[in-house]
């Protein structure tokens, strides 16, 4: 009654769940390589740069950032 392939899939799924996780950036780079969507890399870079400016703009470094613009 039970399907041996189904049991094998469940075991491999459980083993993969116990494995060590990759970092977000390593996983993202792997995604870019696998899907060949390199046009997404500059978008993510610009979003991270903008987020950094927003964070630094609310700290003591704000006067130095304002002089850049």
């Amino acid at each position: 009654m039970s399907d041996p392939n189904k049991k094998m899939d469940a075991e491999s799924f459980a083993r993969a769940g116990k494995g060590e996780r990759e970092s977000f950036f390593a996983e993202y780079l792997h995604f870019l390589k696998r899907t060949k969507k390199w046009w997404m890399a500059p978008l993510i870079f610009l979003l991270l740069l903008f987020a950094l400016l927003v964070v630094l703009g609310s700290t003591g470094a704000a006067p130095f950032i304002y002089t850049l613009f």
Side-chain angles (χ1 to χ4, degrees):
M1 285 288 204
S2 67
D3 188 13
N5 290 334
K6 198 177 244 187
K7 185 176 183 185
M8 184 64 163
D9 289 340
E11 289 173 1
S12 64
F13 182 75
R15 266 186 273 125
K18 291 179 183 176
E20 188 174 323
R21 294 185 58 162
E22 294 181 354
S23 70
F24 172 75
F25 294 108
E27 191 172 331
Y28 181 68
L29 285 174
H30 179 69
F31 167 75
L32 289 178
K33 280 189 230 177
R34 189 174 34 125
T35 59
K36 297 183 178 34
K37 295 189 179 204
W38 292 107
W39 58 269
M40 291 177 71
L43 294 174
I44 297 298
F45 176 74
L46 288 175
L47 284 173
L48 290 174
L49 182 65
F50 182 69
L52 180 69
L53 283 174
V54 167
V55 168
L56 289 178
S58 63
T59 64
F64 302 109
I65 293 174
Y66 293 142
T67 59
L68 295 176
F69 300 103

